[in-house]
Amino acid sequence: MNPCIYNRIRSFFIAVSVVTSLLFSTTIFAENKVSQAPTFVLPGINNTQVNLEDYRGKVVLVDFWASWCTPCIRSFPWMEEMVEKYGEKGFVVIAINMDQESILATKFLQRYPNKLTIAFDPQGVVAEQYEIMGLPNSFILNKKGEIVYKHIGFRLAELDKYEAEILSLLP
């Protein structure tokens, strides 16, 4: 792809992601509206596979992100903190990267090291199944694998609310 066209497309998606995050950074499924999360098996780090079914019985935050997404950068330390606080109670984060070029994700992960479960969806197949509307886009699943909460964007002002949602699903 021509680098000029790629940069224009990338700039467009960055702008759309930022605007969407600002406009729709609220909980979508706050009322008791739950639905079964689409299952997936995606490549992970070091030739591993990330299979959502392996996490049944845990509270899972499925987070879609990209290396160029500023709100995504802000969300990583918080997600890491939540795993450190609640991992022993059965909480896990599966962070699904959307970059089409794997080198971009690799550089991001080198710059922001973490202990999250990382998966890669460069073609957006799983993102399409989850009907993501911007980045970051996250889904909190209960132990049955049902989507209980959905967030578009990441707002520092709502960290207490996000944590309360996780706690509401843990023992």
Side-chain angles (χ1 to χ4, degrees):
M1 177 182 285
N2 181 331
C4 185
I5 293 172
Y6 175 77
N7 287 336
R8 286 183 185 166
I9 292 170
R10 181 175 175 215
S11 295
F12 171 76
F13 281 113
I14 290 171
V16 169
S17 177
V18 169
V19 170
T20 303
S21 294
L22 292 173
L23 292 176
F24 300 106
S25 181
T26 59
T27 302
I28 304 297
F29 297 141
E31 66 283 346
N32 292 327
K33 183 177 179 182
V34 297
S35 60
Q36 193 64 38
T39 60
F40 57 82
V41 177
L42 288 170
I45 293 179
N46 299 327
N47 296 319
T48 61
Q49 286 195 337
V50 178
N51 183 342
L52 182 61
E53 289 295 321
D54 292 343
Y55 298 92
R56 190 63 59 99
K58 295 184 180 288
V59 173
V60 180
L61 187 148
V62 176
D63 181 73
F64 292 87
W65 65 282
S67 63
W68 46 263
C69 168
T70 302
C72 299
I73 295 168
R74 290 194 314 257
S75 71
F76 264 68
W78 178 81
M79 291 189 297
E80 177 97 13
E81 179 185 341
M82 293 298 101
V83 170
E84 287 176 16
K85 282 175 83 171
Y86 304 114
E88 289 183 12
K89 291 185 175 186
F91 175 70
V92 68
V93 172
I94 299 175
I96 301 175
N97 178 265
M98 302 294 301
D99 287 308
Q100 291 182 346
E101 297 180 38
S102 63
I103 190 69
L104 298 173
T106 301
K107 287 181 180 180
F108 177 96
L109 294 169
Q110 288 171 346
R111 184 189 277 163
Y112 305 102
N114 64 80
K115 296 176 185 167
L116 305 176
T117 301
I118 305 293
F120 301 97
D121 186 24
Q123 303 306 316
V125 174
V126 175
E128 189 174 309
Q129 291 173 336
Y130 277 77
E131 300 176 359
I132 69 164
M133 299 174 63
L135 294 176
N137 204 158
S138 60
F139 303 81
I140 302 175
L141 285 51
N142 64 18
K143 293 180 179 189
K144 297 177 187 173
E146 299 167 327
I147 298 170
V148 180
Y149 300 102
K150 176 180 177 182
H151 298 278
I152 302 167
F154 181 79
R155 296 177 54 93
L156 296 174
E158 297 188 11
L159 295 183
D160 290 339
K161 180 174 90 172
Y162 302 155
E163 186 171 356
E165 292 169 354
I166 292 165
L167 282 170
S168 75
L169 301 173
L170 291 172

